[in-house]
Amino acid sequence: MFALVDCNNFYASCERVFRPALEGRPIVVLSNNDGCVVARSAEAKALGIPMAKPWFKIEAALRGQGVAVFSSNYALYGDLSARVMQTLARFCPRLETYSIDESFLDLSGARGDLAALGLEIARTVKQWTGIPVSVGIGPTKTLAKVANRLAKKGRGPSGPVLDWARLPDPRGTLAGLAPEDVWGISARWGTRLRQLGLGHALALAEADPRRLRQAFGVVVERIGRELAGVPCLPLELVPPPRKQILVSRSFGRRLAALDDLRGAVAAFAARAGEKLRRQPLRAPAVTVFLQTSPFAEAEPFYANGATLVLDRPTRDSGKLMHVAQRALERIFRPGLAYQKAGVLLPDLVPAGVEQGLLFSEQPADDPRTDRLMDCLDALNRRPAHRAVRYASELFGDGWRMRQRHKSPAYTTDWAGLPVVWAH
Amino acid sequence: MPAARQRPVFVRSLRPVAADAPPRILRLYACRVAAGFPSPADDHLEGPLDLNAHLVAHPAATFVVRVAGDSMTGAGIRDGDLLVVDRSREAKSGSIVVAVVDGALTVKRLRVGRREVRLEAENPAYKPIVVREDADFVVWGVVAHAIRSY
């Protein structure tokens, strides 16, 4: 048996923990640089505020509706996410953290009333962390996900929890579920499934698995079996290593000067290096991309990217930054106002499998570089934020994010602690 | 214990080390053995005092907040103090709690009577808040410790 525990409207709920006056008020959270709506409270959804809409396009229409607006506060969301997962681990040590706000639990050892256990989990997480969650329970991960969806819609008999085994009409429920609403089925696959006469989840569950495999491959075959109650997807206790790393931002204001872009690209490459070194991986290449604003109608739109391959895969931020600057020079066009840039490290390879080169301009990472990088990472983990930086990161500062509505880092910064009133 | 360590060790056998075997380092004592007297503290090694372990019983449920105001001075809680709030603790009558009153986080002493729940200040200048059944009132967490810096 599996349970999927999913935080309700997670980012909006995080903002409410320390601002209880926001209970019942519509909340929206904006993406990096206050660009688009990335999260909404239930009240904001009820107002019809769409996801992924540029905020400047809908801001005026929402005046007077009492909408509380926040810039993304990832320090807060990350900390509260870790607290939710720690609380869940007390109930069930076999846990797969699937995303920042979702975890699968393996309940195969649990005895007795699973719905009651689900309620106890939801009650404890809310009391301990302040975050409301929904719990879906099922014999497979896919059905636990369906059960969670129903629990969120208030279809559970006991509050935010729904146990698939107790559903009075499971076949009818699946028959009412569109293929795209099943975990793992893309919109494109949904269209093709319909063309083959498989227009709902029940049809998928009852389809011949061999037919599904022939038409779509093993992924959809497994989803079909899982919907029929046969577990095919085990709990992934260790997350699979990342195959690529992306660091990109929209800029606080648009940038035209090469030096400003150099500063941004250097900082992105350094950050990408930091992320890279959390895993035993090396980067064989660096991609830099940049673009002007797609919304500026008076100006031509320009977007371009360049990938440079390193002679040897590396985990050295210095090398990544050097190559990133060369890639930037290739795609930079003067006279344009850039709105966004990014650094991508594609096709990461495990450390230790790279081939030696007979004639290499660049020396391989030597052990001293490894130690330097470890030292750099250790220093930058300390509270004084980003204590040690490469000089090239200090070129122009205009790329830094616009975050006009950011709440304090209530749980990770002494200067941001919540205030309680004694009066 | 030191007596046992001083017992002489006899070599039972000698064999050649394979050339490709990785070198092994065995650490026998954490301190240097000086003339056969290992430190008597060696068997009692402990880490330094850990304030986190002392103040934070449930890390996932513990939050630090800052006090603004003087209504709790009678309980030894002053303006500017830090409070360690444990949300996993059950609030009982007499607990110092952070409660949500009219949408604001407020620190008070909880009194649960037969007929009513009161949130009391610890300063005669402030009146207690009597919580009626229909009032918007939630215990946010229980105060476990107060921290003051001088």
Side-chain angles (χ1 to χ4, degrees):
Chain A
M1 291 301 270
F2 295 91
L4 176 68
V5 181
D6 189 0
C7 301
N8 301 342
N9 311 313
F10 181 56
Y11 294 174
S13 297
C14 289
E15 298 291 351
R16 263 186 194 139
V17 172
F18 302 98
R19 295 262 313 266
L22 293 174
E23 204 60 54
R25 259 183 76 183
I27 297 174
V28 301
V29 178
L30 305 179
S31 61
N32 280 338
N33 211 31
D34 295 348
C36 301
V37 175
V38 290
R40 303 160 297 165
S41 71
E43 299 79 6
K45 289 175 188 170
L47 280 179
I49 298 174
M51 260 318 235
K53 197 88 177 172
W55 178 241
F56 75 88
K57 287 196 172 178
I58 52 177
E59 188 179 7
L62 289 165
R63 290 236 171 84
Q65 305 264 31
V67 180
V69 183
F70 290 95
S71 308
S72 302
N73 185 347
Y74 286 107
L76 176 67
Y77 310 153
D79 180 70
L80 286 174
S81 168
R83 288 165 180 267
V84 169
M85 302 316 168
Q86 276 173 39
T87 308
L88 293 176
R90 290 174 65 97
F91 288 93
C92 176
R94 290 177 54 79
L95 168 148
E96 173 191 343
T97 299
Y98 180 67
S99 70
I100 192 167
D101 57 358
E102 290 173 282
S103 265
F104 285 104
L105 311 183
D106 179 354
L107 296 184
S108 46
R111 301 261 169 275
D113 184 347
L114 293 182
L117 174 65
L119 266 184
E120 176 66 11
I121 289 173
R123 198 195 62 77
T124 307
V125 172
K126 174 77 167 99
Q127 177 58 48
W128 286 32
T129 68
I131 300 295
V133 299
S134 305
V135 184
I137 299 167
T140 66
K141 282 167 87 175
T142 306
L143 285 175
K145 193 99 180 167
V146 175
N148 187 286
R149 188 187 161 84
L150 299 173
K152 272 220 164 64
K153 290 192 170 166
R155 299 266 298 275
S158 43
V161 178
L162 191 138
D163 181 357
W164 185 259
R166 293 204 180 178
L167 217 55
D169 180 16
R171 296 185 80 251
T173 305
L174 286 180
L177 192 68
E180 300 84 359
D181 291 338
V182 174
W183 182 43
I185 301 282
S186 64
R188 197 166 47 89
W189 276 349
T191 312
R192 277 189 60 205
L193 283 164
R194 270 177 233 282
Q195 286 163 358
L196 293 174
L198 304 169
H200 49 70
L202 182 63
L204 205 51
E206 292 180 341
D208 180 355
R210 280 169 302 182
R211 186 181 159 215
L212 288 178
R213 181 198 279 259
Q214 275 164 12
F216 296 94
V218 70
V219 174
V220 176
E221 180 201 353
R222 279 197 200 124
I223 292 170
R225 286 184 193 272
E226 284 241 322
L227 284 171
V230 180
C232 299
L233 301 168
L235 215 59
E236 285 178 12
L237 298 175
V238 182
R242 289 203 224 175
K243 295 285 164 33
Q244 64 172 43
I245 284 168
L246 171 68
V247 178
S248 75
R249 298 270 188 288
S250 296
F251 300 132
R253 59 180 168 79
R254 293 205 266 143
L255 301 182
L258 179 60
D259 271 358
D260 280 338
L261 285 163
R262 279 188 189 287
V265 165
F268 298 163
R271 179 81 189 116
E274 237 173 75
K275 285 178 154 182
L276 173 69
R277 289 190 297 276
R278 285 189 206 146
Q279 302 175 72
L281 296 173
R282 286 169 198 268
V286 179
T287 303
V288 172
F289 59 88
L290 49 76
Q291 67 171 58
T292 61
S293 170
F295 297 111
E297 280 155 17
E299 299 164 29
F301 178 64
Y302 172 74
N304 204 350
T307 300
L308 292 182
V309 177
L310 291 141
D311 276 357
R312 283 167 190 277
T314 187
R315 64 197 282 276
D316 175 355
S317 280
K319 279 186 197 159
L320 297 175
M321 289 163 79
H322 177 72
V323 174
Q325 296 298 341
R326 278 176 31 210
L328 171 66
E329 286 157 17
R330 290 202 183 181
I331 53 175
F332 176 81
R333 300 278 176 278
L336 297 171
Y338 295 95
Q339 181 245 350
K340 184 176 186 175
V343 168
L344 174 77
L345 307 179
D347 302 326
L348 302 177
V349 295
V353 302
E354 68 270 33
Q355 282 188 319
L357 268 192
L358 202 49
F359 306 104
S360 170
E361 287 173 26
Q362 293 167 343
D365 284 0
D366 76 45
R368 285 176 305 176
T369 313
D370 275 3
R371 285 204 299 279
L372 174 67
M373 290 299 118
D374 292 343
C375 183
L376 185 72
D377 292 340
L379 284 168
N380 282 335
R381 265 195 296 275
R382 294 205 182 150
H385 202 55
R386 304 209 50 78
V388 183
R389 292 201 264 162
Y390 282 85
S392 45
E393 290 179 68
L394 301 176
F395 274 113
D397 228 21
W399 60 274
R400 290 193 187 281
M401 277 197 272
R402 188 167 59 212
Q403 296 179 306
R404 270 181 299 183
H405 312 284
K406 193 165 165 191
S407 50
Y410 295 111
T411 57
T412 53
D413 181 0
W414 292 105
L417 294 182
V419 170
V420 299
W421 298 103
H423 57 218
Chain B
M1 284 303 180
R5 282 195 183 163
Q6 285 164 41
R7 200 180 293 156
V9 175
F10 298 99
V11 175
R12 298 238 169 89
S13 68
L14 282 172
R15 57 199 162 83
V17 175
D20 57 350
R24 281 197 226 166
I25 299 165
L26 297 178
R27 177 171 294 183
L28 297 179
Y29 295 102
C31 66
R32 286 209 287 172
V33 181
F37 287 100
S39 161
D42 222 26
D43 291 337
H44 306 279
L45 276 182
E46 308 221 353
L49 290 175
D50 182 353
L51 277 176
N52 276 322
H54 181 65
L55 297 175
V56 183
H58 305 98
T62 299
F63 296 87
V64 179
V65 301
R66 191 179 294 280
V67 176
D70 61 356
S71 72
M72 292 300 283
T73 48
I77 294 173
R78 292 197 218 152
D79 187 58
D81 285 357
L82 300 182
L83 301 179
V84 178
V85 181
D86 187 344
R87 291 183 55 121
S88 73
R89 272 210 208 172
E90 194 189 337
K92 295 179 186 140
S93 191
S95 299
I96 297 175
V97 299
V98 172
V100 179
V101 179
D102 295 331
L105 297 174
T106 312
V107 56
K108 295 280 177 198
R109 194 178 294 276
L110 180 72
R111 293 283 178 204
V112 182
R114 271 196 211 133
R115 283 187 219 130
E116 59 182 24
V117 172
R118 290 152 71 93
L119 291 170
E120 295 180 349
E122 297 259 344
N123 180 337
Y126 295 86
K127 284 186 182 153
I129 299 169
V130 179
V131 182
R132 289 186 307 274
E133 270 182 41
D134 58 341
D136 169 26
F137 159 73
V138 181
V139 173
W140 192 88
V142 174
V143 176
H145 307 276
I147 303 172
R148 181 175 311 141
S149 300
Y150 299 96

